[in-house]
Every structure is written in structure tokens, then in C-alpha cells.
Amino acid sequence: MELRIDGVTKSYGHGPDSKLILEETWLKIQEREFVSIVGPSGCGKSTLLMMMAGLLAPTGGQVMLGNEPVDGPPFGLSVVFQDYSRSLFPWMTVRRNLSMAAAAYKLPKPEVEARVDHALAAVGLAGKGAMYPWQMSGGMQQRVAIARALVVEPKVMLMDEPFAAVDAQTRADLEDLVLRVRDEYRVTVAFVTHDIDEAVYLGDRVLVLAADPGRVVADISVGLPDPREQIATKLEPRFAALRAEVYRLVMRPTTPAVA
């Protein structure tokens, strides 16, 4: 499903004390596209994502999911947060955490159970449903969080720095996992990250934001061959060139991008 940002702005405060966080932004994410969003701290990346999710109201403009305006958390959209330890219910089993995500959809119990099994298998946690989140490593907990987002079979999945708190090897495994489930579930993904390598490796496009106020300064088509592979892809000359270009834009965001 297409996700569209039509002239969205975000400010906090009123009158002379008002602070513009995100200036007028126009953006379209096509169905099944994977868009990475990078930029310096304070540029409004997470703010933009939360407005996409309907968790934060824009000051101006509108977010559209398909043909419907987003004025609250919409059906068909899931969010994966950075802090998996706080987004999961520690007193519930993994299976119960996933089942709760489907409660608002009022699905028959057999269908919920089938979706839970499918989602756990998709993230490599088949047979782990009886465990509690606190019994798992950080990487496993984030897999649970991804499975919970998938159990509603979303059309769009928003991810807010989901791998920032895990080690490098786990991060690489989770990056490849996200690409696999994107294809399996045929989902559109918007992915906020501070990691430039990650942004380029995962994305079909990379959006670069600048700060004060937040604004999009580049929209770069990645064009790397699929499927992506941690070693082979990162040895591609284009990967190195894209990484350098995105880094330059993040450090000096007013410099125009090279096509």
C-alpha cells in the first residue's frame, strides 16, 4: 500500500515560543518499497515516522495511507520501536504478546493462532512461543517485536532505529531478516536509522534529512542488485559510492546530491 506525506509540517509551542521541528515535507513511498531515512540527531526522523503511524498529529498537511487520511493509528500499519524491552509485555509469553497485537482485528482464534505460528517461523523463533521476553537475548526480543508487527499482516511497517541496541553480528542478521520478511509479507517499509551502511544496504531509496528545521535534502535511488548479501553487496563499488555520498550529505546537508 502506498504511503504519502502531503505538505506535512510539525511545530511545538505557540506564538513567539513556537519551534518548527519539520518544515513542509512532500513524500511518496510506493507499495512494497523499502525507504531508509537518515539524518543528524534532532532532524525530525522519528517525528516524521510517528506522524506516518498516526501517533503524532501534524501541525499542517496530511498523511495518506492508500486513499485514506491518517488521523490515528490505522489498520494495516505496524510499528517496530527501538526499545524492544519496553515495547513487549514482560509478564506475557511471546505467544500472548503476539496474540494481543491481533486483538483489535477481532479475528477468530484459529486464525490468530495460525498467524502467530507463521510470524514466529518467519523471524526464526518457531517453537519459542512459550518463552517470556525476559528469558531471551536482545536480538531475540527484537525478533519477537518484528513478529508482533507481522502478525496483523500489515501493508506498511514503520521501523524506528530497531537495531540500535544490538551488537554488530546480531544487527547484520536482523537486517537480512527484515529483507526476507519484507518479501514474504509483501510489505512497504519506512526505516529510520542513524547507521549509514544500514540505510544503504537495506533501502531501495535513502532519504536524507537535515536539521533546524528538519527537512528532506536528498532522495537517493540505491539501485544495488537483489538479493542483498552482507559481504558481496558491501563490496560493490556502488555501495561504497552511495555510503560516501550519504555520509557527506548528513555531515553537510545543504550540499546537493550527486545522481
Side-chain angles (χ1 to χ4, degrees), residues 21-23 25-27 35-49 51-52 191-193 206-220 246-254:
I21 303 301
L22 191 73
E23 72 176 23
T25 300
W26 300 81
L27 170 64
V35 174
S36 301
I37 304 172
V38 297
S41 295
C43 69
K45 301 185 297 296
S46 294
T47 297
L48 178 60
L49 206 74
M51 289 191 289
M52 292 180 186
F191 189 100
V192 166
T193 180
V206 177
L207 293 181
V208 183
L209 272 63
D212 297 323
R215 61 201 185 279
V216 177
V217 293
D219 184 345
I220 302 171
V246 174
Y247 182 82
R248 184 179 66 81
L249 286 161
V250 170
M251 295 296 103
R252 296 186 294 277
T254 57

Side-chain angles (χ1 to χ4, degrees), residues 87-101 113 116 120 125 127-136 141 144-145 148:
S87 67
L88 300 174
F89 299 119
W91 60 89
M92 292 183 180
T93 64
V94 165
R95 176 170 289 277
R96 184 64 177 148
N97 266 279
L98 268 63
S99 298
M100 283 290 291
E113 293 299 312
V116 168
L120 288 174
L125 293 178
K128 305 294 185 184
M131 294 181 69
Y132 289 87
W134 52 265
Q135 295 175 310
M136 296 176 147
Q141 289 184 56
V144 174
R148 185 180 59 184

Side-chain angles (χ1 to χ4, degrees), residues 166-180:
V166 299
D167 62 81
Q169 182 175 343
T170 300
R171 186 174 198 142
D173 290 342
L174 289 171
E175 289 169 356
D176 291 336
L177 168 68
V178 167
L179 291 177
R180 288 196 302 273

Side-chain angles (χ1 to χ4, degrees), residues 61-134:
Q62 193 168 53
V63 179
M64 299 290 294
L65 182 61
N67 295 319
E68 297 296 324
V70 174
D71 52 12
F75 286 100
L77 185 147
S78 292
V79 184
V80 180
F81 297 97
Q82 177 181 344
D83 194 345
Y84 48 80
S85 64
R86 296 179 64 183
S87 67
L88 300 174
F89 299 119
W91 60 89
M92 292 183 180
T93 64
V94 165
R95 176 170 289 277
R96 184 64 177 148
N97 266 279
L98 268 63
S99 298
M100 283 290 291
Y105 288 73
K106 303 186 185 303
L107 301 169
K109 186 174 180 180
E111 183 174 350
V112 172
E113 293 299 312
R115 288 190 181 198
V116 168
D117 288 336
H118 184 194
L120 288 174
V123 301
L125 293 178
K128 305 294 185 184
M131 294 181 69
Y132 289 87
W134 52 265

